[in-house]
Amino acid sequence: MKRSFTPIFIHLSERFGIDFPERRLPFFEKKIQERLHILHLDEVDEYVRYMTACPEETGRLLDILTINYSTFFRNPLAFDYLFQKLLPAVMTKDKKMLRVWSTGCAMGEEPYSVAIMITEIKKRLNLSVDVRIFGTDINPAVIEKARHGVYHEDQVKYLRHDLVRRYFRYQDKAYRLISEIKQMVDFSPYDMMDPKTYVPPESVFGSFDLVLCRNLLIYFSKEKQHIIMDKLYRSLAPGGHLVLGEAETVAGPHSHQLKKKIPCCQIYAKSKGAHT
Ligand SMILES: C[S@@+](CC[C@H](N)C(=O)[O-])C[C@H]1O[C@@H](n2cnc3c(N)ncnc32)[C@H](O)[C@@H]1O
């Protein structure tokens, strides 16, 4: 007989705002099924009781269901455009402060990739702009890993060899980021479905020049994508840029207010005259 996983979906949805779109239900159900098997539990109700009695189980399930896959410079085309064109154009001599937000940042590969690019550009153009990068994710466990900045070789596979040499130390079969890059990024847990805030409280006021929200929208229904998109739009400074994942596009009420920069990548600009 087919089990109903609804109580678990409701629990996670209420507590973390995670969405369970119809098309991804088989994946979620398979993962929960595997977890029940490991715990030798037969019934979904038993598992819900277990989660209540053992609060860290919710975190474990969150780890299993929110795929934290990422790599440095994932989708090299988009990163190349940021590196060669967009960031050098934004980082002019008059720019005093550059603010970046990487949402759903997993283990930090994405915000650290941006930190590496900015460091390279600053050196190349001899700039002294102040840089603040925020990395947030719903999952506190991956945020903790991000703060350590230690990576498996699979996670650095898209990096140029000279960048690996300059910014990592290879030790105990792992690639360890140097502190110059680590200290450029502030990490904190943050739920993109949080109804009370538009930006992570740690970032104080938003107004970001660059926001990356890649491979996160795909987990949400259209309605929830619109809520997230509203948050992203408001978090951008006028003239700021938004980067989405390869399979994601701007949707909802702000679609006409964000202009696509180039055909091959999901990179959008908010108009310089925009108010919010
Ligand atoms: C597939 S990873 C993408 C990582 C990175 N952005 C990239 O594109 O390589 C998706 C991340 O989104 C996070 N996530 C899922 N739901 C979230 C939410 N409601 N708020 C914030 N982060 C969320 C997951 O924990 C996961 O780390």
Side-chain angles (χ1 to χ4, degrees):
M1 197 179 72
K2 198 168 178 343
R3 288 170 161 148
S4 167
F5 293 93
T6 312
I8 298 174
F9 296 151
I10 291 174
H11 174 72
L12 291 177
S13 179
E14 285 176 352
R15 187 142 169 224
F16 296 103
I18 296 195
D19 211 11
F20 296 95
E22 190 77 27
R23 70 194 151 79
R24 304 204 68 238
L25 285 185
F27 165 79
F28 292 127
E29 290 178 357
K30 179 168 168 281
K31 290 289 171 190
I32 297 171
Q33 193 86 52
E34 284 167 10
R35 190 70 193 140
L36 258 66
H37 183 70
I38 288 167
L39 294 170
H40 304 290
L41 297 174
D42 292 324
E43 300 298 330
V44 173
D45 285 352
E46 280 179 79
Y47 185 52
V48 174
R49 281 198 292 279
Y50 179 77
M51 278 205 282
T52 315
C54 180
E56 59 274 20
E57 177 59 20
T58 306
R60 254 177 241 132
L61 188 60
L62 199 63
D63 273 351
I64 295 165
L65 298 185
T66 61
I67 322 274
N68 302 122
Y69 174 79
S70 188
T71 61
F72 280 82
F73 289 70
R74 182 178 184 187
N75 306 140
L77 195 56
F79 271 100
D80 208 42
Y81 181 76
L82 291 178
F83 204 175
Q84 305 297 339
K85 292 267 185 213
L86 199 142
L87 283 170
V90 171
M91 293 166 64
T92 58
K93 290 251 185 254
D94 308 331
K95 186 95 182 146
K96 298 279 174 278
M97 163 78 89
L98 185 75
R99 289 170 59 78
V100 181
W101 180 20
S102 165
T103 74
C105 70
M107 279 189 261
E109 299 90 334
E110 186 175 278
Y112 284 139
S113 298
V114 176
I116 289 174
M117 286 192 295
I118 289 174
T119 305
E120 287 286 300
I121 295 166
K122 275 176 77 171
K123 282 183 192 155
R124 195 171 75 214
L125 303 180
N126 193 23
L127 299 170
S128 61
V129 55
D130 263 352
V131 181
R132 271 314 345 136
I133 304 174
F134 294 88
T136 62
D137 198 285
I138 193 171
N139 188 340
V142 293
I143 285 296
E144 205 39 52
K145 287 188 185 152
R147 289 191 181 116
H148 285 106
V150 178
Y151 299 94
H152 184 263
E153 69 183 69
D154 233 30
Q155 290 159 293
V156 299
K157 66 184 175 193
Y158 294 126
L159 267 169
R160 275 184 1 221
H161 180 61
D162 61 318
L163 296 181
V164 177
R165 262 201 5 247
R166 269 204 285 289
Y167 298 109
F168 293 82
R169 299 287 166 264
Y170 186 68
Q171 197 188 339
D172 299 332
K173 297 193 177 147
Y175 292 84
R176 294 159 194 273
L177 265 173
I178 60 168
S179 55
E180 181 192 348
I181 298 300
K182 281 197 334 193
Q183 67 201 19
M184 289 173 70
V185 187
D186 287 321
F187 288 102
S188 53
Y190 182 69
D191 179 359
M192 289 303 285
M193 287 305 298
D194 180 333
K196 294 191 224 84
T197 54
Y198 281 113
V199 289
E202 291 76 6
S203 79
V204 188
F205 57 92
S207 201
F208 292 104
D209 301 290
L210 181 67
V211 174
L212 299 103
C213 181
R214 302 165 64 241
N215 306 300
L216 184 151
L217 290 170
I218 39 171
Y219 294 100
F220 292 90
S221 63
K222 275 274 165 288
E223 297 72 41
K224 291 199 173 164
Q225 286 186 13
H226 292 179
I227 295 172
I228 295 177
M229 196 53 75
D230 185 47
K231 208 179 263 260
L232 296 171
Y233 181 78
R234 285 168 186 259
S235 73
L236 283 168
H241 290 88
L242 172 68
V243 187
L244 302 180
E246 262 176 6
E248 296 160 328
T249 51
V250 161
H254 297 299
S255 36
H256 59 288
Q257 292 163 301
L258 288 163
K259 204 163 161 267
K260 201 164 185 215
K261 291 288 283 188
I262 41 162
C264 62
C265 305
Q266 303 302 329
I267 300 180
Y268 300 83
K270 179 172 174 172
S271 124
K272 287 200 169 109
H275 295 302
T276 49

